[in-house]
Amino acid sequence: MSSTPWDFIAKLVCIGDSGCGKSSLTIRLCEGRFSPHHDVTIGVEFGSRIVPVGPPHSKPAPAPKSITTTDDADSDTLSQGLPEPPRDTSKTPQKHMKLSLWDTAGQETYKSVTRSYFRGASGALLVFDLSRKQTFEHVTDWLNDLRQIAEPDIVVILVGNKADLTQQANNKREVTRQEAEEWAKRNGVMEYVETSAKSGENVEMAFMRVADRIYQNIQAGKYDLNDRRSGVKGPSAGGNRQVRLAAEASKAITGGCC
């Protein structure tokens, strides 16, 4: 039995233009908080979070049974309300994955530095700001940079952040959901998710979608868990991996948001 609280480590990078909220997404996932003011990220910053992957966590819930509403229905049946949530009876041990999150600088000045952190990544969140069309127009360049350096099987999800700005009376949306979804399909990106680091909306779901797909790839044998370039490690390599990650993170100049 593993002595670590996780079964796999996966390296994820958050990429995109400066000011899109990449650091805020990472902080929201890792610390469960939002700070409206951050310094600009210089180089990279590091965070981590252990999440459940695979069954029983990802086991689809069965459709709820309909409640009889005929005139002669038993009153006790009607008073039962919603059915109990499904319970896992398979006794399948839950697997856990430690997400090593690398929040990269979005400024052009630091691109040569941030590109080096694309190597060995198994997943990426490609982030743009829903209230700034220009940041969406740049995601193609970011994706091209990523695919030139990262492994071919890297899992990429497109994230439209700052959804809270589109839900106000003065809607600031400059990119439609249809535009983003069509771009994701054209460019072979797994899916599109709209998030708000401020409210927490869909933040955990976005990271979990990437983690679950990486787990599926592990099960399909797409990674060599003993090869650091694959971006995924098993528990046997955990100790050295954690030390190396911490050492690299300490070299980055800390900053804040994006």
Side-chain angles (χ1 to χ4, degrees):
M1 183 175 179
S2 173
S3 60
T4 60
W6 43 263
D7 300 278
F8 310 100
I9 300 180
K11 178 182 177 181
L12 273 59
V13 291
C14 289
I15 64 175
D17 280 4
S18 180
C20 291
K22 299 185 298 296
S23 293
S24 294
L25 289 170
T26 302
I27 292 171
R28 169 63 74 175
L29 181 75
C30 298
E31 302 178 23
R33 64 180 179 87
F34 173 78
S35 176
H37 303 292
H38 294 284
D39 296 326
V40 173
T41 299
I42 300 175
V44 295
E45 293 182 348
F46 173 74
S48 66
R49 166 86 180 266
I50 297 175
V51 299
V53 289
H57 161 75
S58 60
K59 185 177 181 180
K65 296 179 180 179
S66 58
I67 299 177
T68 304
T69 56
T70 56
D71 293 339
D72 59 346
D74 186 274
S75 60
D76 290 338
T77 302
L78 292 173
S79 64
Q80 288 177 357
L82 294 174
E84 288 190 11
R87 302 178 185 277
D88 177 63
T89 57
S90 64
K91 307 301 181 184
T92 303
Q94 179 65 65
K95 299 291 186 181
H96 291 85
M97 181 179 292
K98 180 176 180 179
L99 304 180
S100 295
L101 308 174
W102 296 85
D103 166 29
T104 65
Q107 292 178 305
E108 184 69 30
T109 308
Y110 305 112
K111 264 199 171 182
S112 60
V113 176
T114 58
R115 284 192 188 106
S116 65
Y117 287 89
F118 296 170
R119 294 186 181 89
S122 54
L125 278 76
L126 180 51
V127 185
F128 71 93
D129 182 343
L130 284 165
S131 66
R132 290 191 293 146
K133 183 69 173 282
Q134 186 179 32
T135 64
F136 175 67
E137 293 170 345
H138 293 163
V139 294
T140 300
D141 294 333
W142 283 105
L143 182 62
N144 289 338
D145 286 346
L146 179 69
R147 285 179 169 165
Q148 286 176 9
I149 298 172
E151 295 300 298
D153 288 330
I154 187 169
V155 176
V156 184
I157 189 171
L158 179 66
V159 177
N161 192 36
K162 304 190 181 181
D164 52 283
L165 297 180
T166 71
Q167 299 162 0
Q168 301 172 353
N170 56 335
N171 188 339
K172 296 183 179 180
R173 178 186 288 272
E174 293 187 0
V175 181
T176 67
R177 181 182 290 273
Q178 182 178 355
E179 282 181 282
E181 289 178 343
E182 289 178 352
W183 183 93
K185 290 179 182 178
R186 285 197 311 270
N187 290 276
V189 170
M190 183 174 76
E191 68 178 276
Y192 170 62
V193 177
E194 293 189 351
T195 63
S196 169
K198 184 176 183 178
S199 69
E201 178 185 354
N202 289 339
V203 173
E204 185 165 314
M205 188 266 281
F207 285 94
M208 286 300 303
R209 291 291 293 134
V210 177
D212 281 335
R213 177 58 66 86
I214 292 172
Y215 178 73
Q216 291 172 22
N217 288 346
I218 292 172
Q219 297 301 100
K222 291 187 177 181
Y223 304 118
D224 179 353
L225 300 184
N226 295 313
D227 185 351
R228 58 182 291 182
R229 292 173 298 179
S230 71
V232 181
K233 294 291 181 183
S236 61
N240 293 335
R241 178 66 170 171
Q242 286 178 292
V243 171
R244 192 184 70 79
L245 288 174
E248 286 188 7
S250 67
K251 294 178 184 178
I253 304 175
T254 58
C257 180
C258 315

